[in-house]
Amino acid sequence: MARRSTSSSTGRPTGTAPSGPRNRTPQPVRLRRRTFGDVVKAFLAFVVLLVLVVGVPGALAVTVGWPLPRSAPSMDWLSQPIDVQTFLNALTVVVWLAWAQFTACVLVEVKAAVSGVGLPGRVPGAGPSQLLARQLVAALLLVGATAASFTPGLSQLGHSLEGNQKGTVATAQATPGILAQQQEQAKSTAAALAEQAGHAAAQAERGGSTAAHGATKYYRIQPPEGRHHDSLWEIAQRHLGDGRRYKEIYELNKDRIQPDGSRLSEASLIRPGWIMEMPGDAHGGELVENPDAHVSPEVRQQIGDYAQTGDHAQHQHQQHQQHQEQGGGQHAGGDGATAQITVPSQRQSGDTGAPAAHETSAHSSSSSFGLSEALLGAPLLAAGLLAALGRRRRQALWQSALGAVGGRRGMEPPIPAGDAQDVQDALLVGADPEGVRQLDRSLRGLAAALTAESRSLPVVYAAWLSHGDLHLQLAQPAGKPPAPWQLGQDQTFWTLSRADAEHYEDTDAAAPYPGLVSLGTMDDSRLLLNLEAVPGIVSLSGREADRAAVFASVAAELATNGWSDRMTITLVGFGADLTPLAPNRLRHLDDVEALFETMEAETRQRRGALGAADHHSVLTGRTGPAQHTRWAPNLVLLATQPSAEDAVRLAELAADAARLGIGYLVGSERDDLPGAAWAMEITPDGRLLAPLLGLELQAQLLPAVQQRAVVELFVESDPERDPDGPTTTPPFLVDISEQGRPAVYARLVGPYEIIGLDTPDGDRSPLLHEALALLLLHREGVHPRVLSSALWPRGVTEDVRDALLERLRGWLGTDPDGSPRLRVDAAGRLTLAKSVVSDLDVLRSLYYEATQGKGVESRAVRGRLLTDALVLVRGPLLADRAEGRYRWLTHEIIDAQLPLLVADIGLALSAFHLEKDRAEKAIEALGAALRTAPEDERLWNELLRATHATGDPDRLRALAADLIARSGARGLPPRTEALLDELLPTWRDGAAATG
């Protein structure tokens, strides 16, 4: 692919980029000048091309003429002998075809080299011919550019529009970009290195560095020229010899007032016209050492004023900054090139690009105690973990109820403690399930719309979530997106606004981009990288512990996210303990050799499957009739540094991985991993840097302490971990005697009612009722931040939350001893006094006493307790809750616990009556339980037994017919069928007649 030359910020032409991996730290290169030999080679190439393209057909036309018959041959022609002329004519046809193929190769190579757009297309069956054409064209074009400028680069894959390539500063205002920044910065970085080498040589000739003079040096940010924009990385590369020294420039100039009144607050956000003080060893002609001699009076005055804002004036500028922020003043530069940082309180609902307002507001030490900031700032990861944990706990409940573990019913999920409890609270606060739901529906809706239009999915390198809007960054333009999607800042961005996304509903379309995973945030945008689409390896350098936190975050989100159907995450060198998060997705391999053995076989298999299905890539198979059947990605996370030999093997393995739906994220001690398409670095302060991509993110991490606590939550919820461990003891036992009458009694099972308190006046009553319900369902205590995030999922300030707690405390009142009924425990969590009780607490206590307490030894007591318990059941939990409220119940498993508890009570009471042959009483108890738990197979089976005990076959047949009708197309469960075979052998005849 040809590369266009760009200009540096000073207008000098850039050199060519190195032909090695584009993401490794650039090394100084030598400028290659055209020699007389290059001219000779170009002339000879021109002659050869002229002979092959023009001379061959001319010679054939003159010497042989038209080789084909001039009229349609008859069947007799086949029996004629082959003479010399016939043989020559056949040979001429072959030569004509070879010439046509070679000419097509030349045209394809010339188009790609001259336009600089895309990789040259492949001419069918023209391997050697196209290679010869490429070499001749490259030699010919040496007259106008170096051969390196025609070497394909990974950073240019997918860019074919002039307007698609934007620099770091330009894209900061709109949606941040990856590929455009990567392309331009890679080229300009190489040019800057070559220029810096020239400056260094010139300085050496003058006798040393300018630093010896002791003068303070300044650099003025240059305006954008074409598609090129200045960046601190390039400035450090040109004038300090190492782009990674941009941090020194940033530290010298951060928060200092610029001529336009703005301040440098992010290393990636700079504006034309700003002044940068440079380190003492900076060199190069663009630096200003003597303002009087080099710049205009206006600029000289600006530099003079800026020089007075050094370290001695930092305190004054910090005060000025605080004053500006308090006044709400934010400067929008005249060039419009810099995005302003969004104040958290101005964040819109549903935005997953930054934490919610209630997460980032100031908190007292007691209210923020123990919560992981890493999880608070990872809303998509937290939502995925929370949803997966809920599914695991529901599975454990059902397995316990069906007697699959330990033969015991009514298992209570373990209540986490210590770090696990803190992490669970952080998940509850930080999770954004609505954002996950919106992302999933938007992507599936896009896939469904493309399928309806008979279009393939475009290759997506990344997605940005910003203020609730979704921006997909395409590898190359793919035309106009289907409505309601729109083109974004250029042809390589498809954008969906939050308002349009809310109209999407669930669809059965396959997940189009399951490899998307959050890497971090930049300003107010959250980046999700599509690991399976990266054209090569993504490398991650940095300290081992920091890399491990990134790998754990990526693995956990991929394993639990809500926008994927099926995938395999292969963990190598880490993560053996992460497999409980998703045993069906996570696969752990011991070493690199096992990885090669596994992935080489899978790569061959996928290539064969794509060829057999006549698909170019896995994306083709995710739309149309093939969806749901194949093409699940395999994402490889290799945390250990591969050896030099293994790195080369890995690069070869990953060369065609993107087309096959395989992605590689590899840890490395350095940033020069062979075959790496994109290189990133994680810093000790939690920033994820990719200078050649124009990215500086606040990384999403899962540190070791939080990782262990998350795994503990999943392990403790595993029903197979300890068959003898499940407990049926409820977390809060109520005194069910006459003396244990509570002061405040809340009825939650059915319509919500409160006895013992006056109804609060005003519009705050629903909020107080909701807060009390949350506390009643968590007798172990509720973190204040969990309470506020549950009541105000869009965010709330601390003073509003504290005001609600004071009202709640006043409403609940005090016990006779003067102690408040709303309390704060030693860990800072909100708890209720024992005098505040719900009917759910009573229900659990009655069942516990009937089956494990006083009812064990007394049949009469057991019957009375079970009857009293079933009377309490008036319907589903909080049956009359208002629309839009109590959304936090989606994180709870009480909706699974309550039907199981009611079913257990109904089964126990039915068994109690059947012991005395009271079938009608048993049927009555089972019917009451079925009103709350209509899907419980155990209740229906027991109802069949009780009905059979009545001795009325017609009644049993009617019940069987009702069951068959309810089961629909799914059919009856196997256990129910076996029971009907025993109780009513003729039931199948009736079912067939009904059908």
Side-chain angles (χ1 to χ4, degrees), residues 215-395:
T216 303
K217 305 174 184 66
Y218 298 92
Y219 176 84
R220 188 173 179 84
I221 304 300
Q222 300 297 311
E225 183 172 338
R227 291 169 293 148
H228 175 268
H229 297 74
D230 246 345
S231 70
L232 292 187
W233 175 276
E234 293 186 3
I235 296 168
Q237 194 77 305
R238 287 197 299 272
H239 301 297
L240 299 176
D242 186 351
R244 289 174 295 186
R245 294 185 62 187
Y246 78 93
K247 302 174 185 177
E248 298 177 31
I249 305 176
Y250 172 72
E251 293 297 331
L252 280 174
N253 296 275
K254 69 176 181 178
D255 296 329
R256 294 171 65 177
I257 303 299
Q258 293 291 339
D260 62 357
S262 303
R263 289 171 299 278
L264 175 65
S265 59
E266 296 287 343
S268 59
L269 302 180
I270 58 176
R271 297 180 182 176
W274 278 10
I275 298 167
M276 297 289 116
E277 181 179 339
M278 302 292 289
D281 61 339
H283 48 76
E286 298 170 349
L287 300 179
V288 177
E289 298 177 17
N290 185 357
D292 293 332
H294 290 83
V295 298
S296 65
E298 179 184 1
V299 176
R300 183 167 61 247
Q301 179 62 39
Q302 291 177 354
I303 294 177
D305 295 339
Y306 191 74
Q308 299 176 11
T309 63
D311 294 338
H312 65 279
Q314 287 302 303
H315 179 66
Q316 177 182 356
H317 291 312
Q318 290 172 359
Q319 291 179 338
H320 177 72
Q321 179 184 4
Q322 293 173 1
H323 173 72
Q324 292 280 2
E325 292 175 349
Q326 292 171 359
Q330 294 188 359
H331 303 277
D335 56 4
T338 305
Q340 299 296 327
I341 299 175
T342 303
V343 180
S345 61
Q346 297 173 340
R347 176 177 171 269
Q348 302 177 29
S349 172
D351 176 17
T352 56
H358 67 272
E359 298 170 16
T360 55
S361 60
H363 290 275
S364 64
S365 60
S366 62
S367 64
S368 61
F369 173 78
L371 297 193
S372 167
E373 294 298 330
L375 290 173
L376 292 179
L380 304 184
L381 169 62
L385 288 171
L386 205 58
L389 183 61
R391 290 192 296 270
R392 178 66 54 82
R393 288 174 172 172
R394 285 179 173 83
Q395 179 186 10

Side-chain angles (χ1 to χ4, degrees), residues 932-983:
T932 300
E935 303 298 328
D936 197 310
E937 178 189 352
R938 300 171 302 158
L939 289 175
W940 288 105
N941 291 347
E942 194 65 21
L943 184 58
L944 286 171
R945 294 188 181 95
T947 305
H948 180 266
T950 62
D952 186 348
D954 293 335
R955 190 173 179 182
L956 183 60
R957 276 191 288 270
L959 178 59
D962 185 29
L963 269 176
I964 295 171
R966 287 175 178 269
S967 62
R970 295 175 304 172
L972 292 175
R975 294 184 183 184
T976 304
E977 283 192 0
L979 181 61
L980 278 173
D981 288 337
E982 173 66 23
L983 302 180

